[in-house]
Amino acid sequence: APAAKPLPGYAGWKKADAVIVHSSTTIETKRSAFGTSVITPTDQLYVRNNLPSPPESIVADRDAWEVQIEGVKQPRRISVRELKTLGLETVTMVLQCSGNGRGFFPSKPSGTPWTVGAAGCVVWSGVPVRDVVKALGGVADGMKYMTGTGGEVLPPGIDPKSVIVERSVPAEALQDALLAWEMNGEPIPLAHGGPLRLIVPGYTGVNNIKYIKQLAFTAQESDAKIMSHGYRISPPGSKGDPSQPSVQEMSVKSWINSPLPEDGPQAAGVVQIHGVAFGGMHAVKGVEVSIDGGKTWKAARLVGPDMGKYAWRQFVLQAQLPKGTHVLASRATDMQGNVQPETRGENQSGYNNTSWADHAVTVTVA
Ligand code: MSS
């Protein structure tokens, strides 16, 4: 096996044996590291940066960080210090990269071949965007989108629109969105977007803008490349363009975290098959588990605290596994009755893989 890559400096505090370092800007949580405690520890959470990390100095004086609010009746800059006076909310949310599960596409799309570990369940605290909007006189007329801009210093000599991390979501998403300064009980580390991050519950990772420097209500979607051409659900073989759907709301999904083939052969007998399930925009209603590759299914039990509709649930099925090889799969259903599909939706860049078949695991009982 190739030697493990070292953790990049800005994420040097990550638990090295719990993650896979794909590159200096892409770090994945190992499937075996998710555990059963609902919340993903910050030192095991995945990292995805589209640009090099900003310097640690931006988190030296967190309260002094400012965000420009545009597209409201009274646009202006607001410091984190002032945001803390405007409101407070906490939301537990699955943060999941749009490309999580790309590694299961047989077409080997370009981009990081994440399997399940570009996701985690995180507690975020901050001010509701609706409270900020209210303090600034409300959304200006005719604004259809909420557009967040990342605070990276852009490389010189390149068209800013070609690299800037700027994403638009429908303006209605402001109802549940936060400008967050805390995650899992501590100030948001630089690697996860401190001092201030836009959290859009239910929306894929890329829409959750780190080190946010501008939040704008806009009439049009951003014309930054990452919005107009990147992160589009493009038919296989074609390039991204603004006519195709963008990666936004997440759909119902689950996967098994134990047992795994990497644990080695299992002893025959009773096993607790467990994993995580989430609905994206809706709470999880139930999860079924199959020990015969999807021929038959049994209802799993949801375990642990229910942290709200944007969080994931842990599920478990106790099963008796005889000697031999077994294909274990899980299939979640959300409160709207949407069922996790068997197959992935084919697309050029390998986004939004929710296929239960792709996420199945083959284990051997000795
Ligand atoms: N933000 C910013 N500012 N920058 C960048 O780069 N990225 C994205 C988000 N945000 C970015 C941002 C992505 S893409 C993702 S996933 C996320 O983030 C991640 O997170 P973490 O914390 O984990 O790192 Mo895919 O869809």
Side-chain angles (χ1 to χ4, degrees), residues 92-160:
T92 306
M93 180 194 89
V94 175
L95 180 71
Q96 179 184 225
C97 182
S98 318
N100 199 30
R102 177 186 291 128
F104 298 127
F105 278 70
S107 55
K108 303 253 170 288
S110 67
T112 307
W114 313 106
T115 60
V116 297
C121 189
V122 179
V123 181
W124 304 95
S125 295
V127 59
V129 169
R130 55 174 197 279
D131 289 345
V132 179
V133 164
K134 199 173 157 208
L136 299 187
V139 174
D141 295 337
M143 301 309 180
K144 294 203 183 78
Y145 300 94
M146 177 168 76
T147 300
T149 311
E152 287 102 337
V153 174
L154 304 177
I158 307 181
D159 173 11

Side-chain angles (χ1 to χ4, degrees), residues 45-51 95-99 114 118 124 149-152 165 183 191-193 197 204-212 226 231 247 351:
L45 181 68
Y46 84 103
V47 175
R48 165 51 169 143
N49 281 342
N50 297 65
L51 287 170
L95 180 71
Q96 179 184 225
C97 182
S98 318
W114 313 106
W124 304 95
T149 311
E152 287 102 337
V165 177
M183 69 178 279
H192 295 297
R197 182 173 193 168
T204 64
V206 70
N207 301 293
N208 295 267
I209 302 295
K210 307 197 230 188
Y211 3 90
I212 187 165
I226 195 172
Y231 295 85
V247 288
Y351 292 132

Side-chain angles (χ1 to χ4, degrees), residues 18-47:
V19 297
I20 305 154
V21 181
H22 291 287
S23 74
S24 64
T25 54
T26 49
I27 304 168
E28 176 165 8
T29 308
K30 284 186 184 164
R31 193 167 188 163
S32 56
F34 278 114
T36 50
S37 300
V38 183
I39 299 308
T40 308
T42 306
D43 63 2
Q44 301 184 192
L45 181 68
Y46 84 103
V47 175

Side-chain angles (χ1 to χ4, degrees), residues 300-325:
R301 187 166 54 85
L302 298 177
V303 280
D306 180 349
M307 308 287 281
K309 66 174 177 174
Y310 297 120
W312 64 29
R313 297 297 310 266
Q314 304 275 338
F315 65 84
V316 68
L317 180 79
Q318 176 172 307
Q320 184 87 36
L321 291 184
K323 268 189 187 163
T325 297

Side-chain angles (χ1 to χ4, degrees), residues 158-191:
I158 307 181
D159 173 11
K161 293 278 181 204
S162 71
V163 288
I164 198 164
V165 177
E166 184 172 275
R167 293 280 307 170
S168 303
V169 295
E172 305 84 77
L174 82 87
Q175 290 307 332
D176 283 345
L178 296 185
L179 285 170
W181 48 78
E182 197 176 292
M183 69 178 279
N184 292 347
E186 55 189 11
I188 302 179
L190 175 69

